[in-house]
Amino acid sequence: MVDELEEFNTEMLLSGKYDGNDAVLSIHSGTGGVDANDWAEMLERMYLRWCEKKGFQTRIIDRQADVDYGIKSSTIEIRGENAFGLLKSENGVHRLVRISPFNAMGKRQTSFAAVEVIPDMSDSIEVEIDPNDLKIDTYRSSGAGGQSVNTTDSAVRITHLPTNIVVTCQNERSQIMNREVAMNILYSKLMAIAEAEHKENLNEIKGDQSMATWGSQIRNYVFQPYTLVKDTRTGAETGNVEAVMDGDIDVFIRAKLQKDAAI
């Protein structure tokens, strides 16, 4: 009963234009070498577990595994009521501090990963993109997705030249399907940025700014010498690191929504 009441109160805080939309969440490893790649994969699991608990549908549409360990990036399509409204506060840099399992001397390692969340606006596309502004590359997929995926150049990378925004998709069964999914993500990114910058002309908007605040973390995850996960924006914290990494992040989502509503 308490959980249902908390969910109701959280939903009452969702008043943004696209809060009710599905979401596209991307994770990019950053500073920290193999630890950062491992950290990015840990975050991927954390969000997938959170979605599972919420009953949301997920689909990994692009995943770049590292040669040695972990992932360099992952893009997840998340479908569910208020998916974007709940996840939008996860935008930013996430910092991990732990004793590295990859360090033979057992030293503490600080690693970073960036999370980007945009609303899925593919069903309400209002922008026009000049085909001449696109650079489209195809390459061989590195992930699973059917017999033909790994034997043909089915993966697609689209670069929007005026903004230098790059989107990729490789987990669909054909190049045509990968291109369609990638274009939908590009539309959503451009619309989200245009909305944020109050621009109507796509040529006036800036490129992807997800890396611009690198090192300015929104949340710290400390595994050693003590356990603490603390949000730098709201002060919300918990010592139960295992639960957080298993998808229990509602305390941080709720705190950020409450803070934004009070402004």
Side-chain angles (χ1 to χ4, degrees), residues 15-263:
S15 58
K17 184 176 180 180
Y18 301 110
D19 281 357
N21 287 35
D22 297 328
V24 177
L25 183 147
S26 299
I27 304 165
H28 303 275
S29 68
T31 305
V34 65
D35 278 279
N37 296 332
D38 185 42
W39 175 227
E41 189 170 41
M42 292 166 65
L43 286 175
E44 177 190 56
R45 179 187 180 278
M46 182 185 78
Y47 289 117
L48 289 174
R49 290 289 290 120
W50 178 83
C51 290
E52 183 181 337
K53 294 173 187 289
K54 291 292 182 184
F56 290 173
Q57 295 181 342
T58 59
R59 181 172 62 131
I60 297 177
I61 56 181
D62 189 73
R63 193 174 194 267
Q64 302 292 329
D66 183 65
V67 176
D68 297 318
Y69 207 88
I71 61 173
K72 292 183 177 179
S73 66
S74 177
T75 300
I76 308 168
E77 179 184 76
I78 301 170
R79 299 197 175 278
E81 186 177 0
N82 299 320
F84 173 69
L86 294 171
L87 285 169
K88 62 184 181 183
S89 62
E90 294 301 296
N91 260 312
V93 176
H94 296 243
R95 173 177 175 261
L96 168 68
V97 179
R98 66 172 177 177
I99 295 175
S100 171
F102 307 103
N103 188 304
M105 299 180 67
K107 292 184 176 181
R108 281 205 304 167
Q109 175 75 34
T110 300
S111 310
F112 297 90
V115 174
E116 178 191 19
V117 186
I118 61 171
D120 181 354
M121 294 185 276
S122 57
D123 293 333
S124 57
I125 293 173
E126 301 171 357
V127 297
E128 293 185 7
I129 297 178
D130 187 342
N132 294 322
D133 288 341
L134 300 178
K135 181 176 182 290
I136 302 176
D137 300 304
T138 58
Y139 58 98
R140 185 148 303 178
S141 172
S142 62
Q147 292 182 343
S148 64
V149 167
N150 294 322
T151 58
T152 62
D153 292 339
S154 60
V156 174
R157 178 188 299 110
I158 301 177
T159 304
H160 184 248
L161 299 175
T163 60
N164 202 35
I165 291 175
V166 179
V167 294
T168 58
C169 183
Q170 65 169 315
N171 282 11
E172 299 298 331
R173 291 183 176 272
S174 71
Q175 184 183 124
I176 293 176
M177 294 174 67
N178 278 325
R179 177 169 175 164
E180 181 180 350
V181 172
M183 282 299 298
N184 285 340
I185 296 175
L186 177 60
Y187 278 123
S188 295
K189 281 198 172 191
L190 289 172
M191 288 183 65
I193 296 173
E195 286 274 343
E197 299 184 358
H198 307 289
K199 302 291 187 182
E200 296 181 0
N201 187 341
L202 291 183
N203 292 324
E204 296 179 0
I205 72 175
K206 301 175 184 177
D208 185 358
Q209 298 296 305
S210 61
M211 304 294 287
T213 56
W214 206 250
S216 179
Q217 63 270 11
I218 66 164
R219 192 173 302 146
N220 292 313
Y221 303 71
V222 182
F223 287 19
Q224 284 101 11
Y226 53 89
T227 57
L228 179 69
V229 182
K230 184 171 183 177
D231 197 289
T232 62
R233 303 161 300 177
T234 64
E237 62 180 56
T238 176
N240 195 342
V241 170
E242 290 186 7
V244 171
M245 299 314 301
D246 201 37
D248 290 345
I249 59 174
D250 283 334
V251 60
F252 305 111
I253 291 173
R254 191 175 301 114
K256 184 62 168 65
L257 288 172
Q258 289 173 342
K259 181 176 181 179
D260 290 345
I263 296 177

